[in-house]
Amino acid sequence: MAAMPTSVLDLAPVVPVVVIEDADDAVPLARALVAGGLPAIEVTLRTPAALDAIRAIADAVPDAVVGAGTVLTPGQVDRSVAAGARFLVSPGWTDGLLAAMAASGVPFLPGVSTTSEVVALLERGVREMKFFPAQAAGGTAYLRSLAGPLPQARFCPTGGIGADNAPDYLALPNVGCVGGTWMLPADAVAARDWARVESLARAAAGLRDAGGTCR
């Protein structure tokens, strides 16, 4: 099994953000992503199949580091970790949700989109965050502006990021990795074209060299 991460930001330059409608797709999809060089897989809790998908990946794909995304409540934190999630991602945060994620025993990325939210998390001892929705919230220019006064904060931007602009984000000193869905086109998933998914994942994994700063 892949080692337990101490930081989600250090696993790969790109974290695939996966929406799984059919839990039977979870294992072959995860295997394709891992084979392409993307071991960190965020399964969003947007579908009824999500927890079963997390459980299946955790059980059957030992080289994957599967996490839960779109985590909104303390109850979802508990159910996700029980299903085998090894990291947690939320689009935003409250004190209650933050406390539950901190108590979960796994790494987590609470979502932020403003400077005040970043400062509030730093005050609470959290230095690694999701920046969402990245493009709509100011993109690379906004994150570059945060690097000066808040160099201790590191981010995984998601939202509006694709193969074309991911290297721009990865070149920023305060970006550890990016999240996206472009290596999982809907038609490929619907057709169960896992070879295409693997090929796109391999190209995404190569963005580490293009960006140069994803550690």
Side-chain angles (χ1 to χ4, degrees):
M1 176 176 286
M4 187 70 178
T6 56
S7 168
V8 183
L9 302 185
D10 295 332
L11 290 170
V14 178
V15 176
V17 179
V18 182
V19 180
I20 295 181
E21 302 288 349
D22 184 345
D24 288 342
D25 291 338
V27 168
L29 184 153
R31 285 176 174 156
L33 292 171
V34 170
L38 299 181
I41 301 169
E42 176 188 334
V43 177
T44 68
L45 301 183
R46 302 180 195 175
T47 68
L51 289 175
D52 287 338
I54 290 170
R55 190 173 294 107
I57 295 170
D59 289 344
V61 191
D63 290 332
V65 180
V66 64
T70 321
V71 177
L72 302 176
T73 69
Q76 288 181 328
V77 170
D78 295 339
R79 290 190 291 274
S80 297
V81 174
R86 300 172 69 197
F87 64 90
L88 305 168
V89 184
S90 67
W93 62 278
T94 64
D95 283 326
L97 178 58
L98 193 68
M101 290 194 293
S104 70
V106 301
F108 58 94
L109 295 175
V112 297
S113 60
T114 69
T115 306
S116 293
E117 290 171 323
V118 175
V119 171
L121 285 179
L122 291 174
E123 185 179 77
R124 290 160 172 80
V126 178
R127 297 179 60 181
E128 298 187 345
M129 312 165 197
K130 169 177 175 169
F131 181 61
F132 175 83
Q135 283 292 95
T140 55
Y142 194 96
L143 286 171
R144 188 178 297 109
S145 296
L146 291 181
L150 303 171
Q152 64 272 53
R154 293 179 71 208
F155 300 95
C156 174
T158 68
I161 297 177
D164 56 340
N165 61 356
D168 296 333
Y169 281 93
L170 291 170
L172 298 175
N174 54 351
V175 168
C177 60
V178 300
T181 61
W182 73 89
M183 72 299 299
L184 297 160
D187 59 339
V189 175
R192 296 179 168 83
D193 186 352
W194 308 127
R196 183 179 171 202
V197 169
E198 180 180 339
S199 177
L200 291 168
R202 186 169 292 108
L207 294 176
R208 178 189 305 274
D209 297 328
T213 62
C214 183
R215 298 176 293 278

